[in-house]
């Protein structure tokens, strides 16, 4: 080894020990006869002192060294002179008095500071020089956290008798609702592999293969438009279990989530335990989304009964037409604001739901701080005294609260609820150290796709309907609920899974419903149907987005912060310049001719 110790481990007790350290120049301070170098490696920073008189050769080298040069330093550990200890540094009580320094490599001036956390670094520059970005403490911390999380998961599942098994990357379509990445086959011209959108089919086949408990830290590929928490390739903890029911999987997964947080990030607070369970329907009704952030309790409450008895014509008519009236209570929002401010706030909220949800308007009233006062707000007058009291009670409202009302078609009310919650969330400055997990269950098995006039699987085509809803596949598929469960944390879907179909006859019923001919289904999924005929055990499982999980544990703003070499929003690696054109020779070996639209040819 070119070093005897690392830069984070030496303490007062090591005083007098001769050591060799190696690492990067984090900072250099020249005080004439003395040069101080903060030497950095993965484990920390140690101060090196180079004295012109005692070690003139080393001093000359230290003099020529610059930030990010790679040095090897030989010297002895010394307790720092009185008053010069640095309490911010783990090694701050000692320094190394250098006898000899070797430059192992030089560095150009980096395009951004590595030794300072500047917050708003240009992301394109960070990606272009990712290997330098990775040297920054924040990135070192996140990737270490990722490593620890994955290692913990492996150990936990190993102790639970799971077997880690790799499944192929070159495979066949494994639909999870995205486009496939295709890879042309040279040996079978004109044929293509699809990269797995998930190992879904393969893990089910492993259950048919008798493994009973499988997991994998699996790379998945989905060709879709990127958003903050999506990447074209991402990592899942993928697992599957045989002879289980929904409850078994959920309980084990909840134990895993709890153990990860308690062990890996003990400073984080788990808000609700056991994790609350919401039906898909309730999640949409109350939070306007199937991945609610339950760290804050703003919810849309159904007050159709009260609204229908008010004198407000919109509510009365809507309730008659079978639409709901929903109310969201914003505690204290009207307490200390003037009438003018309140009108401004509510006008902005109304503009928000018009823009984001296509709502026609947003009615409101405020609850007076003094109970003797009237309800304020344009629709206050439509509620008589008794109804007001009923409303206040139904909403648990208190003086100073703002009550917002929504009444329209369900999707508009849901989108309004979601938009309002997102708006208030941004004002609340929520604590990232709180992790609020919840389960969303009882998803519909299918969601209607109006454009293609067919049902789409709400999870994927292998999800078993709930046993009590199985009969609905024939009579009313839209009403059938699936056995799906999603694990949500702070508004992010951390994972999802389900109990699977293991019966060929049930699986065969799904294909026509989702618009696939039996001929096409046999071609793409015939192997699954066949496998189900050879004693496939009942099974179910789940997959977690490792990137998202680690992002939440790290309190990072997006998943790129916890991936070593992520793609940009445009799906590119701008460091290595990928994707890039293929050589004509490569294309011809694959019998591929390009037929690009004119605008692409100009590039
Ligand atoms: N394959 C699913 C997914 O990738 C997860 C699962 O059902 O286990 O979302």
């Amino acid at each position: 080894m070119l070093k005897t110790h690392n830069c984070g481990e030496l303490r007062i007790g090591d005083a007098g020990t001769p050591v060799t350290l190696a690492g990067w120049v984090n900072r250099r301070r020249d005080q004439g006869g003395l040069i101080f170098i903060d030497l950095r490696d993965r484990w920390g920073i140690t101060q090196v002192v180079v004295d012109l008189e005692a070690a003139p050769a080393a001093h000359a080298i230290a003099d020529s060294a610059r930030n990010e040069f790679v040095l090897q330093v030989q010297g002895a550990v010394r307790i720092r002179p009185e008053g010069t200890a640095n309490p911010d540094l783990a090694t701050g009580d000692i320094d190394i008095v250098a006898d000899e320094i070797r430059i192992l490599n030089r560095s150009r001036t980096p395009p951004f500071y590595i030794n300072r956390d500047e917050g708003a670094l240009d992301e394109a520059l960070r990606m272009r020089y990712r290997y330098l970005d990775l040297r920054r403490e924040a990135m070192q911390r996140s990737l270490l956290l990722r490593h620890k999380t994955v290692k913990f998961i492996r150990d936990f599942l190993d102790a639970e008798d799971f077997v880690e098994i790799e499944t192929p990357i070159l495979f066949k379509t494994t639909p999870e609702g995205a486009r496939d990445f295709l890879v042309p086959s040279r040996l079978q011209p004109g044929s293509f592999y699809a990269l797995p959108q998930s190992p879904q089919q393969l893990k089910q086949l492993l259950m048919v293969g008798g493994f009973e408990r499988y997991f994998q830290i699996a790379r998945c590929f989905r060709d879709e438009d990127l958003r903050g928490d999506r990447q074209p390739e991402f990592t899942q903890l993928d697992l599957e279990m045989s002879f289980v029911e929904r409850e078994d999987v959920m309980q084990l997964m909840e134990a895993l989530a709890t153990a990860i947080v308690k062990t890996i990030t003990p400073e984080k607070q788990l808000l609700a335990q056991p994790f609350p369970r919401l039906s898909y329907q309730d999640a949409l009704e109350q939070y306007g989304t199937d991945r609610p952030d339950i760290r804050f309790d703003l919810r849309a409450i159904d007050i159709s009964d009260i609204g229908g008895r008010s004198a407000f014509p919109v509510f009365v008519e809507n309730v008659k037409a079978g639409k709901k009236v929903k109310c969201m209570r914003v505690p204290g929002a009207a307490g200390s604001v003037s009438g003018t401010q309140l009108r401004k706030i509510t006008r902005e909220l109304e503009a928000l739901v018009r823009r984001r949800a296509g709502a026609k308007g947003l009615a409101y009233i405020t609850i007076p701080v003094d109970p003797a006062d009237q309800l304020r707000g344009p629709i206050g007058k439509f509620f008589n005294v008794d109804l007001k009291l009923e409303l206040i009670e139904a909403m648990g409202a208190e003086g100073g609260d703002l009550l917002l009302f929504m009444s329209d078609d369900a999707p508009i009310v849901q989108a309004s609820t979601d938009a309002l919650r997102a708006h208030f969330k941004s004002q609340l400055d929520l604590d990232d150290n709180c992790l609020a997990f919840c389960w969303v269950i009882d998803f519909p098995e299918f969601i209607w796709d109006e454009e293609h006039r067919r049902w789409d699987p709400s999870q994927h085509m292998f999800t078993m309907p709930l046993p009590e809803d199985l009969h609905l596949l024939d009579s009313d598929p839209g009403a059938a609920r699936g056995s799906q469960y999603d694990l949500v944390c702070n508004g992010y879907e951390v994972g999802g899974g389900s109990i699977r179909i293991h019966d060929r006859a049930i699986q065969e019923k799904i294909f026509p419903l989702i618009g696939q001919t039996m001929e096409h289904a046999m071609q793409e999924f015939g192997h699954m149907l066949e496998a189900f005929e050879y004693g496939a055990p009942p099974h179910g499982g789940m997959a977690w987005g490792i990137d998202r999980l680690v992002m939440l544990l790290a309190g990072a703003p997006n998943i790129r912060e916890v991936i070593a070499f992520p793609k940009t929003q445009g799906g590119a690696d701008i460091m290595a310049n990928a994707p890039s054109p293929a050589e004509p020779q490569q294309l011809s070996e694959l019998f591929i001719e390009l037929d690009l639209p004119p605008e692409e040819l100009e590039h």
Side-chain angles (χ1 to χ4, degrees), residues 225-473:
D225 295 332
L226 306 193
R227 293 202 305 257
D229 60 345
R230 294 238 167 118
Q231 283 276 310
E233 58 178 304
F234 60 97
T235 308
Q236 280 187 347
L237 158 62
D238 188 49
L239 62 88
E240 198 73 7
M241 306 164 79
S242 294
F243 306 108
V244 285
E245 293 177 328
R246 172 166 89 165
E247 195 58 38
D248 303 308
V249 185
M250 287 173 70
Q251 281 191 14
L252 185 71
M253 296 296 92
E254 186 161 331
L256 174 58
T258 309
I260 291 173
V261 174
K262 292 204 163 143
T263 316
I264 305 295
T265 51
E267 71 283 5
K268 299 237 183 243
Q269 195 196 343
L270 275 171
L271 272 199
Q273 283 179 284
F275 301 164
R277 294 178 179 199
L278 285 159
S279 72
Y280 171 82
Q281 204 51 39
D282 284 350
L284 284 189
E285 291 283 339
Q286 295 179 25
Y287 299 96
T289 169
D290 58 2
R291 40 187 174 85
D293 188 339
I294 58 166
R295 278 177 299 173
F296 62 109
D297 194 35
L298 292 181
R299 276 180 295 156
I301 307 293
D302 185 351
I303 52 128
S304 306
D305 175 43
I306 298 172
R309 284 183 286 129
S310 74
F312 186 41
V314 176
F315 290 173
V316 176
E317 275 162 33
N318 278 355
V319 171
K320 263 198 209 130
K323 295 180 191 172
K324 287 182 179 159
V325 182
K326 296 280 205 58
C327 180
M328 183 185 282
R329 166 184 170 236
V330 193
S336 52
V337 295
S338 68
T340 323
Q341 278 169 323
L342 183 68
R343 276 189 294 281
K344 178 164 181 284
I345 293 170
T346 48
R347 254 202 320 274
E348 282 169 8
L349 292 175
E350 179 162 30
L352 176 79
V353 294
R354 281 179 193 273
R355 196 171 64 240
R356 295 271 307 277
K360 293 187 209 58
L362 183 71
Y364 71 91
I365 58 176
T366 62
I367 311 293
V369 179
D370 181 349
D373 286 351
Q374 287 292 315
L375 293 183
R376 282 195 291 154
I379 65 164
K381 59 178 186 277
F382 297 113
F383 290 78
N384 66 32
V385 177
D386 289 343
L387 216 48
K388 273 175 199 163
L389 290 175
E390 252 187 80
L391 178 66
I392 289 173
E393 174 150 358
M395 294 307 297
E398 288 173 11
D401 289 354
L402 170 65
L403 300 184
L404 301 169
F405 295 87
M406 299 164 277
S407 184
D408 209 315
D409 294 329
I412 293 180
V413 173
Q414 282 158 14
S416 303
T417 305
D418 191 33
L420 288 171
R421 279 179 50 84
H423 169 80
F424 289 115
K425 178 174 168 172
S426 69
Q427 294 191 334
L428 279 174
D429 194 20
L430 292 173
D431 185 358
D432 280 343
N433 268 322
C434 290
L435 296 179
F437 283 92
C438 64
W439 288 103
V440 180
I441 55 174
D442 296 349
F443 283 76
E445 175 82 11
F446 305 107
I447 289 177
W448 182 248
D449 175 352
E450 186 53 43
E451 191 191 333
H452 301 102
R453 307 218 37 89
R454 60 163 196 233
W455 295 103
D456 279 339
S458 114
Q459 192 197 21
H460 48 60
M461 63 176 78
F462 304 110
T463 299
M464 179 81 105
L466 285 180
E468 60 269 35
D469 289 1
L470 202 48
H471 67 282
L472 292 170
L473 284 188

Side-chain angles (χ1 to χ4, degrees), residues 176 198 200 203 222 236 459-460 496-498 500 541-543:
E176 295 277 0
S198 84
Q200 184 61 37
K203 68 175 170 178
R222 297 184 190 175
Q236 280 187 347
Q459 192 197 21
H460 48 60
S498 59
R500 327 296 185 186
M542 182 162 168

Side-chain angles (χ1 to χ4, degrees), residues 54-228:
H59 188 275
I61 291 177
D63 189 44
S64 71
R66 293 293 173 267
N67 280 1
E68 301 310 312
F69 272 35
V70 188
L71 303 186
Q72 186 188 38
V73 177
Q74 269 177 42
V77 182
R78 170 187 83 165
I79 299 178
R80 287 203 200 182
E82 185 86 35
T84 62
N86 178 356
D88 297 334
L89 213 57
T91 61
D93 287 325
I94 56 101
D95 50 25
I96 308 297
V97 181
D99 299 326
E100 252 186 80
I101 298 185
R102 262 174 74 201
I103 293 180
L104 299 180
N105 212 344
R106 288 163 200 283
S107 171
R108 286 160 61 179
T109 304
F112 46 80
Y113 284 109
I114 287 162
N115 55 9
R116 284 187 223 163
D117 215 1
E118 302 243 290
L121 282 176
D122 174 30
E123 191 164 2
L125 202 60
R126 289 178 60 198
M127 293 301 163
R128 163 86 177 74
Y129 295 96
R130 187 61 159 179
Y131 45 85
L132 293 179
D133 191 38
L134 289 172
R135 281 189 203 162
R136 291 169 50 243
E137 201 201 337
M139 285 310 299
Q140 297 255 324
R141 230 184 303 123
S142 335
L143 291 185
L144 206 69
L145 182 77
R146 184 181 179 117
H147 160 75
K148 287 196 172 138
T149 308
V150 171
K151 164 131 184 9
F152 182 85
I153 290 173
R154 284 203 157 99
D155 292 346
F156 181 100
L157 293 174
D158 178 63
E160 292 285 340
D161 251 339
F162 281 76
V163 187
E164 183 168 5
I165 302 174
E166 289 164 86
T167 53
I169 295 294
L170 296 177
F171 194 57
K172 218 175 152 71
T173 188
T174 52
E176 295 277 0
R179 220 177 258 117
D180 285 328
F181 279 103
L182 295 180
V183 179
S185 157
R186 182 180 56 83
L187 296 176
Q188 297 188 32
S191 287
F192 296 81
Y193 300 100
L195 304 184
Q197 293 186 33
S198 84
Q200 184 61 37
Q201 296 175 46
L202 295 152
K203 68 175 170 178
Q204 291 192 237
L205 294 170
L206 286 170
M207 295 304 102
V208 183
F211 279 94
E212 302 206 20
R213 291 183 161 213
Y214 137 94
F215 84 98
Q216 179 179 195
I217 305 296
R219 198 63 67 82
C220 303
F221 305 87
R222 297 184 190 175
D223 188 2
E224 53 196 346
D225 295 332
L226 306 193
R227 293 202 305 257

